[in-house]
Amino acid sequence: MRLHALFCALAALFALSVSPAQAADPVRLGAVLSVTGPASFLGEPEKNTIQMEVDKINAAGGVLGRPLEVVILDDETGVNKAVLATDRLLKKERVSAILGPTTSGNSLAVMGKAAAAKVPLISCSAAEKITKPVNPYVFKVAPSDRLAVARILAHAKKQGYRKLAILTVSDGFGQAGREVLKELVPADGFELVADEVFGPKDTDMTAQLTKIQGASPDAIICWGTNPGPAVVAKNRVQLGIKTPLYMSHGVASKKFIELAGEAAEGILLPAGKITVAEKLPDADPEKAQLVAYAKAYEEKYHAPVSTFGGHGYDSLHLAVKAIEAAGSDKPQAIRDALEKTKNFPGIGGIFTYSPTDHAGLGPDAFIMLRIEKGDWVIVGD
């Protein structure tokens, strides 16, 4: 009897010491990220950021008075593994929403599964096809290819360029970008003089660049994610090509500069403001939040912050905001609340979703950068 009484007393004491957020069932979200593989430079900062922000949210009391849990699965940058990971999150883990995938190809491959299960998916990828046409259960946080292409073409027009060549990777991100480039380049008054493609695992692009050089473009636009664009940069220098080179936002991290080395010098690209948070004017209304996130990330992980970690931040906080707005973690309630999101200040920009817009960002999500002496420099449009 005495042992039983002692056990009961200890159990009661333990119950009193557990906060309501700890005692309640967790709010469970899932994430499919490319933590390893060729796109790990995208997925690792996404994973790191999500884990850092989950800890911060739980330290502040959780979500709806409950602990927040995010089940993060690594798709290793592979489509098949992304599909398997999504199936697991939907069927076994029974999450309320999915963050990611990291890459456009993987997002396009799995988003139908989430929609069929009526579980909202907030992609960290840029391809316009992810949210166009609108799927009721699919949202994204990475700025659309169209916005990045428009920013590049605006800069090219001011430089007086007229003849453009494009060099795109043959994966989901590259194919989506190529479609937008082929549409907007002529529509904006430019002449498309060369259209070359490379494979995501190709290690030499001299053949494509030689053909492009023969077409005498005023500028070249390369569309892809690492490591391919770094190879393009190096091959361009090796061939002695002086033609200005634009890259896509898909390489907006110090990893690209590291991979390309001295060949990165002078390259131009559109990027999110987080890439140069400290260099923004003090009058920029987004600067304080961006600097705070960058400082927290760099102190915790001893690595430079990137646009892509920002995608992890935005996907998580948009989901949490929707749960809080709905007062529920039911998938349908999250979906409905996401679609009503207005003027949400994220790392990638100011998000406003609607029934006809699940991309949420405008042209101001990008600024133009030039790589000089191994660092970013803000340039005018």
Side-chain angles (χ1 to χ4, degrees):
M1 288 294 290
R2 287 181 179 178
L3 285 174
H4 176 72
L6 179 60
F7 175 80
C8 290
L10 289 172
L13 182 62
F14 176 75
L16 288 172
S17 68
V18 176
S19 70
Q22 291 173 313
D25 290 335
V27 170
R28 284 170 61 81
L29 304 178
V32 180
L33 306 174
S34 299
V35 182
T36 61
S40 61
F41 77 101
L42 307 172
E44 185 179 22
E46 290 169 353
K47 180 202 75 170
N48 289 345
T49 297
I50 288 171
Q51 290 178 331
M52 179 177 76
E53 293 302 307
V54 167
D55 290 345
K56 187 187 301 181
I57 289 167
N58 283 332
V63 182
L64 303 180
R66 297 158 57 189
L68 175 62
E69 179 184 347
V70 180
V71 180
I72 300 176
L73 301 181
D74 179 13
D75 64 25
E76 301 175 29
T77 320
V79 170
N80 291 338
K81 292 194 175 180
V83 170
L84 291 173
T86 302
D87 281 338
R88 175 179 161 183
L89 291 176
L90 293 171
K91 297 173 183 178
K92 182 179 178 182
E93 305 295 344
R94 297 191 176 278
V95 298
S96 297
I98 294 176
L99 316 178
T102 296
T103 67
S104 293
N106 290 1
S107 290
L108 292 166
V110 309
M111 66 187 204
K113 286 182 172 289
K118 296 187 175 180
V119 171
L121 179 143
I122 309 174
S123 172
C124 293
S125 316
E128 191 173 56
K129 284 184 174 181
I130 295 168
T131 54
K132 189 176 180 181
V134 169
N135 181 309
Y137 290 88
V138 179
F139 301 78
K140 74 185 185 78
V141 295
S144 292
D145 307 321
R146 186 171 298 271
L147 301 180
V149 171
R151 187 51 62 101
I152 290 173
L153 295 183
H155 185 273
K157 184 168 285 189
K158 287 193 174 181
Q159 308 314 304
Y161 304 149
R162 282 287 168 258
K163 298 192 297 180
L164 301 179
I166 62 174
L167 178 56
T168 57
V169 67
S170 60
D171 61 14
F173 178 72
Q175 290 170 352
R178 181 172 177 263
E179 287 183 19
V180 177
L181 283 162
K182 290 183 70 176
E183 174 193 341
L184 294 187
V185 166
D188 216 10
F190 297 94
E191 180 185 357
L192 183 60
V193 296
D195 175 10
E196 295 293 324
V197 176
F198 63 92
K201 295 184 179 179
D202 288 356
T203 56
D204 187 283
M205 285 67 153
T206 53
Q208 293 96 323
L209 285 167
T210 299
K211 289 181 182 179
I212 286 173
Q213 187 177 24
S216 301
D218 296 322
I220 302 167
I221 302 172
C222 175
W223 207 268
T225 57
N226 292 329
V231 176
V232 170
K234 289 180 177 180
N235 288 163
R236 167 176 169 262
V237 171
Q238 290 163 356
L239 290 169
I241 297 174
K242 303 298 184 183
T243 308
L245 176 60
Y246 292 94
M247 289 288 173
S248 77
H249 53 305
V251 298
S253 78
K254 284 293 184 73
K255 184 66 176 178
F256 170 72
I257 299 175
E258 177 187 319
L259 289 171
E262 293 182 0
E265 186 72 13
I267 288 174
L268 293 145
L269 71 157
K273 290 181 177 181
I274 186 61
T275 311
V276 287
E278 289 281 2
K279 297 179 181 180
L280 293 171
D282 290 339
D284 191 303
E286 298 172 63
K287 181 173 182 175
Q289 179 182 357
L290 297 175
V291 169
Y293 162 64
K295 182 179 178 182
Y297 186 94
E298 290 168 1
E299 285 181 354
K300 184 173 180 65
Y301 296 108
H302 307 290
V305 75
S306 74
T307 299
F308 312 109
H311 297 339
Y313 181 105
D314 291 340
S315 62
L316 175 68
H317 281 281
L318 280 161
V320 168
K321 182 182 184 298
I323 292 167
E324 291 174 339
S328 169
D329 65 341
K330 299 298 183 186
Q332 186 66 43
I334 297 172
R335 190 224 78 85
D336 293 347
L338 276 170
E339 199 169 73
K340 296 174 183 175
T341 299
K342 305 292 181 188
N343 299 316
F344 173 80
I347 300 302
I350 308 299
F351 289 86
T352 294
Y353 292 130
S354 73
T356 58
D357 181 6
H358 282 196
L361 291 172
D364 58 353
F366 284 118
I367 54 175
M368 282 299 298
L369 304 179
R370 179 186 289 110
I371 300 171
E372 293 183 8
K373 298 179 180 178
D375 201 3
W376 311 111
V377 175
I378 300 173
V379 299
D381 289 342

